[in-house]
Amino acid sequence: MPLKYKNQESCPAIIKRVLQERGWLEADEADPQAWNLIWRSGKFKPSEYALADASFSVPGKGSQSSSTPPSHARSRKRPPQHRRPAQNQPPTPGSGSNRTKVAPKPAGNVGTRRVNHFPKSGSITRKDHLLRNMRKMASAYRQLYGYMPETYMLPAEYLQLVRAYADQQPSMEDEKKIWICKPADSSRGRGIFLVREVSDIYYDQPMVVQEYLERPLLIGGYKSDLRIYVLVTSVHPLEVHVFRNGLVRFGTHKYGQGLENLFSHLTNSSINKYSEEYGVNKNIIGEGCKWDLGQLRAWLEDAHRRTVEGMPETGSSPPASPNVFFDYETLWKRIEEIVILTLLVLVQNLDRPCKGSFELFGFDVLIDADGKPWLIEVNSSPALGIDCAVDRRVKDALIREVFNVLKFREACGTPGDGAPRTDQSSASEAFPLGADQLGGLEFRPPKSFAASFVESTVDEAMANVAASACEIEGRSARPVEDEQAGDSAAAAGGYTYVTDDDDDDDDDEGGRPPDAPVT
Ligand code: ADP
């Protein structure tokens, strides 16, 4: 029986194309239950999550899935349910909660159903929620969670921002820090501006104001950042697939121009495709505004060789990034560390397995001139449109691989979903961090990491991630013992837990914060 996807306006064309190639059919609108997948940009209703989850609990149907822990792990202790007071528990199927009005029906003969988001993913994908949750994590693991630039939320933290501004002691006007101001609930560079003076900040909606990283990795004199694609197939236990290929996104005007020049300072392709330089063959980076990660790796290796040999970067005088000597594999390990640590926020926010969910996240990572990766944001619906040849190369392989990993037909009880694996090369580039699949991966955390991640409590998993990350960085891992974090850490047995107070992920558009005063 063919698998069926529910046609959604916001479902990217590439998803429909790949599904059709694999023999999927569009679900019949007259039968609202006969679907196996809904892929949409916006969030889902609680009833939709419940319907998808329920399809995994029908006896004999779909009890095996890629998000099911391996058999040896399943027989062991599951992560405990904790943290959230009973009255705030999210509705469980059939619990009679007012918020879940539609009682989920068994999946019947359609097999398992999945939706492409997790409830609560807004805890990492909304700029203000991400910041708040990172701070909570940092209160327990300060040394691990230092990968986001200094950030303030306005209007609530206006005074702290003013204090930070006053504390800087520049000898010259242009040595003052630059701040980047972003609407809290926006994307694609919309509404972003840069300032040196706090008095220049205006806002009529909640705003995130962040220290601007002024020394980014420059390639050919152009600013760059990375889009890393991460597929999460299970949260309890956490199963993560980080795709080895992703995008390098460039500004299209040389870096270092006036703050109002967004083509120089922002790397969003939704902005740079409107630059008059977009189609021009630019120094080193060429036409357009994107590379894939393979091109970055080749360039870094070449830059390394040139640095060792004392040669300037091709066509660039003086070299745009004189300190480019970092090695790609180390960089990649640090990025993986950021991905896992950030996803632990989601693990701690979701207290049920959500078997009917998976999510493809887009992590935006900016590498500075010293090779340190910084997390800029996490996108819950990374753009999947095809603007150029690089997009096609990266996204076609990505989406095919996503469906290879999801193994829909196997979840319905039959191997394969009828699609030939046309992209064997990319298959080897995706690597799950599930315990049974760690064997041949490039990311080689200590053994304890793999074991405890599936079989132990969230506390222990957290400690093991910390140990693994510390090994990469050569730091020591220990929960914070200072006064500020002491109370909450003690209450949680030495670790601080994160909850997302604003329960807004269950709305289609996600909740919007109240309007802020205009200053
Ligand atoms: P949006 O969701 O609107 O795309 P981002 O936070 O991703 O907003 O920022 C857009 C772009 O601005 C990034 O791709 C990056 O090029 C640049 N940027 C964002 N934050 C910083 C920062 N703190 N320092 C330097 N550049 C930044």
Side-chain angles (χ1 to χ4, degrees):
M1 178 158 171
L3 293 162
K4 293 182 179 167
Y5 66 94
K6 222 172 175 181
N7 199 359
Q8 304 279 295
E9 221 173 281
S10 66
C11 177
I14 190 172
I15 301 290
K16 294 184 195 174
R17 179 161 54 77
V18 169
L19 287 175
Q20 283 160 12
E21 276 170 23
R22 300 175 78 101
W24 285 61
L25 299 179
E26 213 177 285
D28 182 357
E29 283 195 22
D31 185 352
Q33 306 255 325
W35 54 270
N36 302 96
L37 168 71
I38 306 180
W39 186 301
R40 72 163 74 117
S41 305
K43 298 292 177 197
F44 291 91
K45 295 181 191 136
S47 56
E48 290 171 311
Y49 285 123
L51 194 57
D53 290 346
S55 73
F56 280 80
S57 53
V58 175
K61 280 268 176 205
S63 53
Q64 296 289 310
S65 82
S66 65
S67 59
T68 306
S71 54
H72 67 276
R74 254 178 294 139
S75 62
R76 294 180 187 169
K77 200 163 58 162
R78 300 304 312 275
Q81 308 291 300
H82 50 197
R83 298 181 297 285
R84 192 168 281 279
Q87 67 269 25
N88 287 342
Q89 289 287 344
T92 47
S95 67
S97 157
N98 289 340
R99 303 183 62 208
T100 308
K101 297 220 171 77
V102 180
K105 291 190 185 152
N109 64 358
V110 296
T112 53
R113 301 187 177 99
R114 287 198 182 115
V115 294
N116 72 315
H117 295 294
F118 283 99
K120 298 287 176 193
S121 60
S123 59
I124 56 172
T125 59
R126 260 191 62 141
K127 293 180 174 68
D128 46 354
H129 293 195
L130 175 68
L131 170 64
R132 197 171 55 220
N133 287 322
M134 287 289 119
R135 283 181 181 164
K136 288 178 184 169
M137 288 301 213
S139 71
Y141 290 98
R142 189 184 302 128
Q143 68 275 56
L144 288 176
Y145 280 87
Y147 53 79
M148 274 189 79
E150 182 185 345
T151 311
Y152 299 90
M153 288 184 278
L154 301 190
E157 297 174 346
Y158 189 75
L159 283 181
Q160 286 96 314
L161 172 65
V162 170
R163 210 170 297 137
Y165 170 81
D167 282 348
Q168 46 174 340
Q169 294 171 330
S171 49
M172 313 251 283
E173 187 60 16
D174 64 1
E175 284 177 11
K176 279 187 183 167
K177 264 188 189 170
I178 301 175
W179 299 92
I180 181 163
C181 308
K182 320 176 196 179
D185 188 18
S186 190
S187 60
R188 299 169 167 206
R190 285 174 291 204
I192 293 186
F193 58 93
L194 278 65
V195 297
R196 276 188 206 277
E197 301 294 335
V198 165
S199 56
D200 288 342
I201 297 176
Y202 56 88
Y203 53 98
D204 55 7
Q205 58 181 311
M207 186 70 93
V208 164
V209 178
Q210 196 167 66
E211 177 187 5
Y212 185 69
L213 300 168
E214 290 188 52
R215 294 177 55 248
L217 170 67
L218 299 181
I219 300 182
Y222 295 89
K223 177 171 172 176
S224 62
D225 75 359
L226 312 185
R227 164 62 53 87
I228 307 292
Y229 296 101
V230 175
L231 175 67
V232 178
T233 47
S234 161
V235 169
H236 294 298
L238 182 61
E239 234 181 78
V240 183
H241 306 250
V242 185
F243 289 84
R244 289 290 282 189
N245 208 358
L247 297 174
V248 184
R249 308 175 312 162
F250 293 106
T252 45
H253 284 189
K254 288 241 171 155
Y255 185 67
Q257 322 241 343
L259 299 188
E260 64 298 333
N261 186 335
L262 298 186
F263 296 134
S264 165
H265 292 280
L266 304 193
T267 53
N268 304 76
S269 38
S270 47
I271 290 186
N272 283 287
K273 66 184 177 192
Y274 297 109
S275 157
E276 74 286 359
E277 294 288 310
Y278 180 80
V280 173
N281 188 5
K282 297 176 281 300
N283 183 32
I284 311 241
I285 67 170
E287 279 182 30
C289 63
K290 285 177 196 167
W291 276 4
D292 69 18
L293 291 181
Q295 289 172 283
L296 174 69
R297 185 184 194 136
W299 180 82
L300 280 175
E301 284 168 2
D302 187 56
H304 184 183
R305 189 177 54 78
R306 288 175 177 281
T307 307
V308 170
E309 292 170 6
M311 292 157 65
E313 189 185 24
T314 330
S316 168
S317 177
S321 292
N323 289 336
V324 177
F325 52 77
F326 40 88
D327 133 79
Y328 186 81
E329 285 307 319
T330 307
L331 180 65
W332 189 251
K333 282 186 184 132
R334 287 189 172 137
I335 291 173
E336 286 170 341
E337 179 188 318
I338 288 177
V339 167
I340 299 296
L341 288 169
T342 307
L343 287 171
L344 284 176
V345 169
L346 187 59
V347 173
Q348 303 231 11
N349 271 279
L350 263 187
D351 47 11
R352 60 187 198 273
C354 298
K355 282 183 169 270
S357 290
F358 68 92
E359 189 143 357
L360 178 65
F361 294 102
F363 278 64
D364 290 351
V365 174
L366 191 146
I367 313 297
D368 71 18
D370 299 321
K372 174 178 159 92
W374 296 83
L375 180 65
I376 298 298
E377 71 162 342
V378 184
N379 295 278
S380 71
S381 293
L384 292 176
I386 307 287
D387 282 345
C388 58
V390 180
D391 270 347
R392 181 167 300 286
R393 199 158 63 230
V394 172
K395 294 175 187 176
D396 264 8
L398 168 73
I399 297 307
R400 292 208 170 89
E401 193 52 25
V402 163
F403 287 105
N404 286 341
V405 169
L406 288 172
K407 294 194 181 86
F408 266 88
R409 181 67 83 189
E410 281 179 20
C412 295
T414 335
D417 73 348
R421 289 188 60 142
T422 52
D423 52 327
Q424 294 296 339
S425 61
S426 79
S428 63
E429 290 172 350
F431 47 103
L433 299 176
D436 59 335
Q437 292 134 321
L438 278 162
L441 308 178
E442 290 200 48
F443 182 44
R444 292 182 197 285
K447 275 214 165 71
S448 58
F449 175 101
S452 67
F453 227 73
V454 173
E455 69 182 288
S456 70
T457 63
V458 173
D459 302 359
E460 284 159 353
M462 184 75 191
N464 279 304
V465 175
S468 156
C470 289
E471 193 172 273
I472 298 169
E473 301 297 327
R475 295 174 304 207
S476 70
R478 61 181 169 77
V480 158
E481 285 153 14
D482 69 4
E483 281 176 17
Q484 205 193 358
D487 291 349
S488 53
Y495 297 92
T496 300
Y497 294 108
V498 175
T499 52
D500 190 10
D501 300 327
D502 296 355
D503 185 14
D504 61 0
D505 284 335
D506 296 334
D507 298 325
D508 260 1
E509 295 305 320
R512 283 172 192 275
D515 284 344
V518 181
T519 60

